[in-house]
Amino acid sequence: MMRDRVPDDPAFDAAWTLFCTLHDSPSPERAEELIRWLGVDPGNICALDDVLTLWALAGAALVKPSMQEALREERRLQ
């Protein structure tokens, strides 16, 4: 769980770097690098799960205000 991790967790940092690199420039080589890294240590899977949770929460925080604004705009136009 993310709340069990310390901010300077090397596994989290590695997961973040690998995920962002794959996200920004997807390639089979980068995907394989992430898969190999996940197989090194079961803790790496937890670290990637934490990264994906953070990514999803950050996205939701950005989308929610936009959705609320769109709904207000829609009501204004009706």
Side-chain angles (χ1 to χ4, degrees):
M1 285 184 175
M2 192 176 299
R3 64 182 158 262
D4 296 334
R5 299 226 174 252
V6 292
D8 62 347
D9 180 3
F12 182 90
D13 294 343
W16 183 261
T17 299
L18 289 166
F19 170 75
C20 288
T21 301
L22 180 60
H23 179 272
D24 294 345
S25 300
S27 72
E29 295 79 20
R30 288 191 172 105
E32 288 174 14
E33 182 181 8
L34 176 61
I35 291 167
R36 276 192 305 275
W37 179 78
L38 289 170
V40 170
D41 182 334
N44 291 350
I45 296 170
C46 294
L48 181 61
D49 184 56
D50 289 346
V51 164
L52 296 175
T53 299
L54 180 61
W55 187 268
L57 291 172
L62 294 172
V63 169
K64 187 175 180 182
S66 298
M67 289 180 64
Q68 290 171 339
E69 180 61 33
L71 289 172
R72 280 194 295 273
E73 184 67 19
E74 182 180 318
R75 276 181 275 198
R76 187 183 70 75
L77 295 174
Q78 290 179 355

